[in-house]
Amino acid sequence: MKIGVLCSGGDAPGMNPALRAIVRTAGYFKDEVVGIQHGYQGLLDEEFLTGDNMPRDIGVRAVSGLTSKGGTILHSSRCKEFMTEAGVRKAADILRKHKFDALIPIGGNGTLAGALELSKYWDGQIIGLPGTIDNDLLGTDYTIGFATAVQTAVEAIDKLRDTAGSHDMMFIVEVMGRHCGDLALTTAIAGGCEVVAVPEIPTSIDNIIASLHKFKNLGKKSMIMVVAEGDDLGGAIEMLARLKEAGSPYEMRVVVLGHVQRGGSPVPADRVLATKLGCFAVDSLHKGETGKMVGEIGNQLVLTPLSDVIVDHRQVSPAMLDLLEVIAS
Ligand code: F6P
């Protein structure tokens, strides 16, 4: 079987261990694996990483040492041409021309939506892997990269807590997450933060100001609020302006963590998840599966049709929001 692998959209820590698991499992089946560089753009440009142009031997040894490596050695991109029907048709022609039997795209919602489009014009097998720090995909409890991004954000918050405590002040920390507040909420709980703003719940400045006064009266001298970039008010900078205007009882500063959260060596949870899902993807191809995403739900490896994955974004858990409120007070 000739399998193409690509990473598309925002990179996520764990994409490299996923590639390693795919190559090693494919080695067991005696498959040929071709790394497609720069995501769907590289597919359209026929930018292939094969035996002839790999820096080291192709196959199982070429992926040695990838468990701990952040980013993606395949490189990634967001490809405008692949968002057009002509682009998708061209990609299908290229896959036929090079006699690919299967494709494993690793990425988030846009990557998997692209894979579903491709399946309309190409009859090879497609099995997607959930790779995004956002944890916003249906069909898996956790996406590859989420655990590392939380770790990175919490390390930053632990440091900010020290300076917030020293100066009796409040930090408004912006984390990534355009559609889903899971990264923000998990970071807030793990970092012992007091307030969170997520895209799923309309933000009320009046309610936040009331909470800040309540915390002040309870004797809390310093505060940390986590804001998801996709919050309806528009992120941490806007939040600071609005809270200032509404009379926040705390002196405030903004920290935008941004792309720092996408980098770094994957934590063990991401390495293990990536390894399980990479192996399961190749196994699934050999069982004849196609048009699905691999995931893990309640410790079980599962396959979900791409059409069911992309219909919506995962939502934060209301129980976790309640938990933050109880614990913070
Ligand atoms: O989808 C992953 C992600 O990191 C989001 O959290 C973020 O909104 C987006 O990518 C940023 O994308 P870019 O690097 O293209 O600005």
Side-chain angles (χ1 to χ4, degrees), residues 30 49 56 68 89 102 118 241 249 265 296:
K30 308 264 183 288
L49 205 59
R56 288 183 277 164
S68 59
R89 283 181 183 276
L118 183 61
S265 177
E296 189 175 41

Side-chain angles (χ1 to χ4, degrees), residues 63 72 88 109 120 124 127 134 141 144 178 183 219 280 309:
V63 291
T72 164
V88 178
N109 200 282
K120 295 179 187 161
I127 293 289
D134 291 4
D141 287 342
I144 296 165
R178 278 172 295 190
L183 181 53
F280 185 46
V309 172

Side-chain angles (χ1 to χ4, degrees), residues 10 78 132-134 176-178 229 259 262:
R78 297 191 194 274
T132 166
I133 64 165
D134 291 4
M176 282 188 164
R178 278 172 295 190
E229 64 174 330
H259 291 75
R262 291 224 304 245

Side-chain angles (χ1 to χ4, degrees), residues 5-290:
V5 186
L6 61 82
C7 295
S8 166
D11 64 338
M15 283 179 161
N16 280 327
L19 173 66
R20 173 176 174 270
I22 289 164
V23 170
R24 292 273 162 94
T25 312
Y28 169 83
F29 284 109
K30 308 264 183 288
D31 294 326
E32 178 188 356
V33 178
V34 176
I36 300 167
Q37 294 194 277
H38 296 110
Y40 292 118
Q41 187 60 57
L43 175 56
L44 293 173
D45 297 340
E46 300 178 54
E47 216 187 326
F48 300 146
L49 205 59
T50 63
D52 299 333
N53 54 16
M54 276 288 281
R56 288 183 277 164
D57 293 341
I58 185 69
V60 292
R61 296 278 73 80
V63 291
S64 293
L66 283 191
T67 29
S68 59
K69 204 167 162 49
T72 164
I73 64 157
L74 291 179
H75 301 266
S76 189
S77 72
R78 297 191 194 274
C79 176
K80 289 223 170 74
E81 191 182 348
F82 193 71
M83 291 173 192
T84 65
E85 188 187 321
V88 178
R89 283 181 183 276
K90 183 176 162 191
D93 287 341
I94 290 168
L95 289 166
R96 273 189 288 274
K97 178 172 118 189
H98 290 277
K99 298 192 173 11
F100 280 95
D101 300 296
L103 182 70
I104 302 182
I106 311 174
N109 200 282
T111 304
L112 300 169
L116 183 62
E117 275 307 296
L118 183 61
S119 68
K120 295 179 187 161
Y121 304 98
W122 181 57
D123 59 8
Q125 290 170 265
I126 302 179
I127 293 289
L129 252 76
T132 166
I133 64 165
D134 291 4
N135 207 30
D136 61 349
L137 291 176
L138 299 173
T140 190
D141 287 342
Y142 295 105
T143 54
I144 296 165
F146 174 70
T148 307
V150 170
Q151 172 82 23
T152 301
V154 170
E155 279 171 11
I157 280 171
D158 288 348
K159 292 188 170 86
L160 290 171
R161 173 81 61 196
D162 291 343
T163 187
S166 305
H167 288 269
D168 295 348
M169 59 180 289
M170 168 170 167
F171 278 103
I172 303 175
V173 183
E174 183 180 301
V175 298
M176 282 188 164
R178 278 172 295 190
H179 309 286
C180 173
D182 220 25
L183 181 53
L185 182 56
T186 309
T187 298
I189 291 174
C193 305
E194 285 78 8
V195 190
V196 70
V198 293
E200 294 91 333
I201 313 263
T203 297
S204 156
I205 292 292
D206 289 346
N207 287 353
I208 296 172
I209 290 288
S211 300
L212 297 187
H213 281 293
K214 187 186 80 186
F215 289 131
K216 193 86 179 175
N217 292 337
L218 284 172
K220 283 202 185 225
K221 292 194 164 37
S222 63
M223 298 273 303
I224 298 200
M225 172 177 194
V226 182
V227 179
E229 64 174 330
D231 174 62
D232 60 342
L233 286 189
I237 293 171
E238 182 64 22
M239 182 69 72
L240 175 103
R242 299 285 295 273
L243 291 179
K244 229 180 201 169
E245 195 182 83
S248 163
Y250 290 92
E251 188 201 330
M252 299 173 295
R253 293 277 193 287
V254 162
V255 174
V256 177
L257 293 182
H259 291 75
V260 169
Q261 297 155 98
R262 291 224 304 245
S265 177
V267 298
D270 274 329
R271 299 181 194 192
V272 172
L273 180 65
T275 303
K276 283 184 187 173
L277 295 185
C279 178
F280 185 46
V282 177
D283 267 346
S284 301
L285 289 175
H286 280 275
K287 290 192 174 120
E289 296 285 357
T290 187

